[in-house]
Every structure is written in C-alpha cells, then in structure tokens.
Amino acid sequence: MPYVVDGSNVLGAARLAAEAKRGLVRDLARFARAKRTRVVCVFDGEELEPFGRHLGGVSVVFSGARTADDVIVARVASGNGWKVVTSDRGLAARVGGRRVEVVEPRRLLAEIDALPPSEERGVSDDWISYFSDPKNRNVF
C-alpha cells in the first residue's frame, strides 16, 4: 500500500529547516525500501533551495501556493488503498471517506526506528551495485 506523508505535519516545529526535511526524506527512503512500497512526501510552500525530488522509493512534492493538505487530498482522490500519514484532524476528515487509512506520524516514526540495521544501506550502495553490473556502464 503506498503512503502519502504530510511532511510538514510530521516534522512539527522543525518544518522550516531544510536539513530536517532532508533527514525525513532519507528515513522515508529506508522505510520504502524495507517495506517495498512507494512514498510521496508533501511539504507546504515553495522549494526554498535545490532539493531532490526522488530518493529511492520516495517522491518529494512541494505544495507551492496551495496547501499541502490540498495536494494530498488531490493525490488520494485518484485511487484507493493509500495510507496518509498525518496528525492533522482536518486533513484526516477530508480523506477519511476515500478508502484511505490515516496513520499517526508517531506510528510511522516508530516503524522507521524499528527497521533492522541491514535495511540501512546507503544511497551509495545502490549506485555501486548499479554500476558494478557491466550492462549499466558505457564504454567510451
């Protein structure tokens, strides 16, 4: 089941810090890999500095002029089976009737903390395994 994460809500007081956002996305990438799922992380506002849009199974979306809640509601309206991670009661009410499971952020963060150490492979490991395969290398 894919996840949509209200990133600003999960970060709470740290929601404006770019490094906190990057840390959350890294944790979500570990989670996505371990659970073999896709995650969309939505942050409120404009992208203030260059920020990667994809990391492993995680896609990052900035809401721009809209609210993150509006972006999340639009995203889950196109299907069912989503898990929406938020503690925002207003957002939970808006997505509740759409075959969507609302997950408390502390539950997701506890699952991330409980991941076994073997699931903590870095992004560099992904690159090394990709380019160690001869068919993925260009010879000039």
Side-chain angles (χ1 to χ4, degrees), residues 10-118:
V10 171
L11 289 175
R15 73 184 64 201
L16 298 177
E19 197 51 44
K21 291 177 183 177
R22 286 189 177 91
L24 176 61
V25 171
R26 283 190 297 270
D27 287 344
L28 292 172
R30 281 183 41 229
F31 175 80
R33 182 179 302 129
K35 300 296 183 181
R36 299 183 190 273
T37 191
R38 307 282 302 154
V39 177
V40 177
C41 184
V42 182
F43 292 111
D44 281 304
E46 300 288 335
E47 179 181 353
L48 298 177
E49 57 183 68
F51 201 100
R53 296 300 178 137
H54 298 281
L55 180 62
V58 179
S59 298
V60 179
V61 176
F62 286 86
S63 67
R66 300 168 61 192
T67 66
D69 293 2
D70 290 342
V71 172
I72 292 168
V73 169
R75 178 67 62 125
V76 301
S78 64
N80 58 44
W82 291 95
K83 289 188 177 187
V84 176
V85 180
T86 187
S87 60
D88 181 331
R89 291 182 194 160
L91 175 58
R94 289 175 67 187
V95 300
R98 295 190 154 102
R99 295 186 191 174
V100 169
E101 179 184 347
V102 177
V103 177
E104 283 288 322
R106 67 176 171 259
R107 185 172 130 204
L108 174 71
L109 295 173
E111 285 189 54
I112 291 170
D113 287 343
L115 290 176
S118 62

